[in-house]
Structures are given as C-alpha cells and as structure tokens.
Amino acid sequence: MPRHFNTTGPVHPEDHYCIDPMTRLDWEEVHALIDAKKFFVLHVPRQTGKTTTLLAMADVLNQSGN
C-alpha cells in the first residue's frame, strides 16, 4: 500500500507521511531532563504526535544504551 496520512494511532514513517518527531523538539533539553531524572510534560493539542514523539524518544534512548 502506498504511503498515506495517518489520523489514528502512532505514525510509522515507512507507511505514513510525517515530520520526524525528533526534529520537532529540543532534544538536548529533554535529554538533560531525563538524565537529571526530572519530570517533563508534552502539552500539545490532540493529534499532534505525542505518542509518536514518545515512541521515537524511547527508540533513541534504547539505541544509545542508556
């Protein structure tokens, strides 16, 4: 099936059109908060990529071995 716009659930870049979620946030700041074991909030409207962003962050952290 060709790529298409997803309106439900997490986005999978190989299947859906999307902007890389890691470019949409200040990764250095978020990573510093995670390293300091601080809380942070993703406060954005619905269907803006919160779940997709958290999944991408988890992938980056898992690949780094931390």
Side-chain angles (χ1 to χ4, degrees):
M1 177 175 7
R3 287 173 63 188
H4 60 280
F5 289 101
N6 185 25
T7 57
T8 59
V11 172
H12 302 286
E14 63 277 358
D15 297 329
H16 307 120
Y17 293 111
C18 69
I19 297 171
D20 180 18
M22 296 305 292
T23 62
R24 298 179 64 195
L25 55 91
D26 184 354
W27 175 242
E28 288 77 25
E29 182 180 357
V30 172
H31 197 256
L33 290 170
I34 293 169
D35 284 343
K37 298 183 180 178
K38 301 281 186 176
F39 289 98
F40 62 93
V41 176
L42 293 179
H43 182 73
V44 293
R46 53 190 297 269
Q47 292 188 328
T48 54
K50 294 179 294 290
T51 301
T52 301
T53 299
L54 287 172
L55 290 172
M57 288 171 48
D59 286 342
V60 169
L61 291 169
N62 286 335
Q63 289 174 4
S64 72
N66 292 333

